[in-house]
Amino acid sequence: MYNQVLTSALSLALLVKTSSAQQLFAAHSDGNVSTLALSNNGNTSTLSVSSVTPQCESNPSSINLDFSQRILYCLDRGRAPATQGSLNSFTIDASGKLERIARVSAPFSGVAAEFFDIGDSGVRGYVTASYNRSSVGVYRLGENGALTEPLQTIFPNITSTGPVPLRQDRSYSHHVILDPTRKFILIPDLGGDLIRVFKYNKKNVAPLRELAPLVTVPGAGPRHAVFWKSPESGALYLFFNGELDQKVYSYRVEYKNGGLSWRQQFAIASVSDDLPATTAPTSEIAITPDGRFVIVSNRDVSFATSIKNRSGTSDTLSTFSIHSNGTLSPVQQAPSGGYSPRQFMINKAGDKLAVGHQNNNTVVIWKRDIESGKIVSEAEGGKLGVANLSGAVVFVQWDE
């Protein structure tokens, strides 16, 4: 009898040890934000929806998480005939359920945002980028999720139409990142073939002051960008994906004359040089937590084939290894697991990647081999979970 009790206790302890769950949040453009749970039990895993909120208003587009304060910020791009979107803050309870704290207006068509602390001043900034009409919204965030109306709204312009007239007839802002010193805000402008650079006010965030931009190759259509510092040389590089010409670019970055200077280092096709421009647009770019690889999502199947003809295929994720001089080498093109992977996010451990698919409303979790940099195939057990949501998935955020 004692042996039976001991065996049962050991089995229960093993079950508890091998069972775990990770939480994610997904914004989908039907007006909902879902809380997801990736549950692991031994060698099996499932991805399920634990709660849903419609409180990010009509068209959620981007999520920023303050993990330590348990506050989630959700940007709503708005929906025509409305002329503005909204910024919303939420508390996160123990089960992952979201409850809105505050809501203020935001420039229409916001697609990306970032928040940041300014040194030890207690000032927290939040900057948004809107695609159509192109604009930049500037906020100072309050404590505990409190929000106020924008301090400043900027409407960038371009002086001439780019080489892809249907997409470059005017400015189209598409991303927000900070440089490693956190002194400069960068906003890629797909329509202007620019990566705009702004300096913010350290006392109140606004007004932003625009500096000299990075002028890209004509027709590149810069969409998203990320900084990387060489561990060998200490040199700083900016990687960005050209949505329109479907290439990944590397630029050497230096701090000069109170701003940033640039020198193109490298460019490589994300999928293939054989694909004509705008037929396989890139969408997201990220660097793995160990700094060894760049991953880019491609909408190569989504734009090449109509939805009704898709069968047994998928858009792709391209992985490149990063060399000390900022150049890249192809490692893998792997299925994203769906259609139009608008955005993806790597977890902090680097062993998982969550992909949000816009055209078939799914979140897919993939396992990564940290050493090789490759995404583990479905046949090898790499597809850890799939969640089918109620609308087009435009952003996925790990709760960590």
Side-chain angles (χ1 to χ4, degrees):
M1 180 68 178
Y2 173 79
N3 288 337
Q4 284 182 318
V5 173
L6 180 61
T7 300
S8 297
L10 289 173
S11 298
L12 180 60
L14 182 61
L15 179 62
V16 171
K17 185 176 181 180
T18 56
S19 298
S20 61
Q22 289 179 281
Q23 192 160 270
L24 305 93
F25 304 101
H28 28 116
S29 58
D30 64 345
N32 291 321
V33 177
S34 294
T35 302
L36 309 177
L38 178 65
S39 302
N40 302 288
N41 189 351
N43 294 323
T44 62
S45 61
T46 56
L47 184 65
S48 59
V49 177
S50 58
S51 63
V52 179
T53 178
Q55 292 184 320
C56 191
E57 298 305 318
S58 64
N59 198 354
S61 59
S62 183
I63 291 172
N64 300 99
L65 176 66
D66 184 336
F67 179 77
S68 62
Q69 299 295 318
R70 306 304 293 151
I71 295 173
L72 182 144
Y73 298 94
C74 181
L75 184 65
D76 154 47
R77 69 185 298 172
R79 193 181 301 278
T83 57
Q84 67 178 29
S86 67
L87 171 59
N88 305 268
S89 59
F90 294 84
T91 59
I92 308 167
D93 74 9
S95 68
K97 184 178 179 181
L98 301 174
E99 188 68 34
R100 191 165 68 191
I101 302 168
R103 177 177 185 251
V104 294
S105 67
F108 185 71
S109 193
V111 293
E114 187 60 89
F115 68 85
F116 53 97
D117 295 315
I118 302 175
D120 298 323
S121 65
V123 176
R124 169 165 284 191
Y126 188 88
V127 175
T128 69
S130 292
Y131 183 74
N132 190 4
R133 166 188 183 188
S134 183
S135 60
V136 178
V138 187
Y139 296 80
R140 177 170 173 166
L141 301 180
E143 295 182 357
N144 303 316
L147 301 174
T148 57
E149 294 294 322
L151 300 173
Q152 181 186 17
T153 303
I154 302 168
F155 296 100
N157 290 305
I158 60 175
T159 57
S160 61
T161 301
V164 185
L166 290 177
R167 303 292 307 280
Q168 296 189 303
D169 58 325
R170 56 185 181 271
S171 170
Y172 291 97
S173 302
H174 215 301
H175 198 211
V176 182
I177 64 168
L178 271 76
D179 78 303
T181 70
R182 306 187 76 76
K183 294 179 180 178
F184 301 97
I185 298 168
L186 278 68
I187 298 183
D189 186 333
L190 183 148
D193 283 326
L194 302 170
I195 295 184
R196 298 181 185 271
V197 180
F198 296 88
K199 198 163 187 177
Y200 58 85
N201 183 297
K202 291 185 178 180
K203 291 184 179 179
N204 199 43
V205 188
L208 298 192
R209 179 166 58 91
E210 189 165 6
L211 307 177
L214 184 163
V215 180
T216 75
V217 173
R223 181 180 172 101
H224 287 188
V226 63
F227 282 95
W228 178 80
K229 189 173 184 178
S230 170
E232 289 85 2
S233 67
L236 183 64
Y237 295 89
L238 182 76
F239 297 107
F240 70 85
N241 58 306
E243 176 177 340
L244 303 182
D245 70 0
Q246 304 152 179
K247 292 183 178 180
V248 185
Y249 289 90
S250 166
Y251 277 73
R252 174 72 186 273
V253 184
E254 293 184 338
Y255 294 92
K256 289 184 178 180
N257 302 320
L260 301 174
S261 67
W262 322 88
R263 184 178 75 248
Q264 185 177 335
Q265 183 74 4
F266 188 72
I268 188 171
S270 186
V271 177
S272 170
D273 284 318
D274 296 331
L275 292 172
T278 74
T279 62
T282 61
S283 46
E284 183 64 286
I285 184 170
I287 292 179
T288 57
D290 59 10
R292 298 172 55 220
F293 302 96
V294 168
I295 303 176
V296 178
S297 54
N298 312 294
R299 293 168 288 181
D300 42 346
V301 173
S302 294
F303 276 66
T305 312
S306 64
I307 293 176
K308 65 181 180 180
N309 291 331
R310 294 177 190 152
S311 177
T313 56
S314 166
D315 282 318
T316 60
L317 302 168
S318 297
T319 299
F320 302 88
S321 61
I322 309 174
H323 303 295
S324 61
N325 63 354
T327 60
L328 303 173
S329 292
V331 171
Q332 180 194 39
Q333 284 184 24
S336 70
Y339 303 114
S340 197
R342 180 182 177 89
Q343 181 265 351
F344 66 85
M345 184 174 287
I346 307 165
N347 68 339
K348 287 187 176 180
D351 62 349
K352 297 182 184 69
L353 185 147
V355 190
H357 292 102
Q358 191 172 12
N359 286 2
N360 62 320
N361 306 352
T362 62
V363 175
V364 180
I365 310 294
W366 291 99
K367 182 178 180 181
R368 285 189 65 249
D369 183 303
I370 296 175
E371 184 58 35
S372 70
K374 293 183 177 181
I375 295 167
V376 180
S377 70
E378 183 175 3
E380 297 174 307
K383 184 182 279 188
L384 301 179
V386 180
N388 293 282
L389 304 186
S390 60
V393 182
V394 292
F395 204 96
V396 182
Q397 169 74 53
W398 292 96
D399 185 10
E400 56 181 22

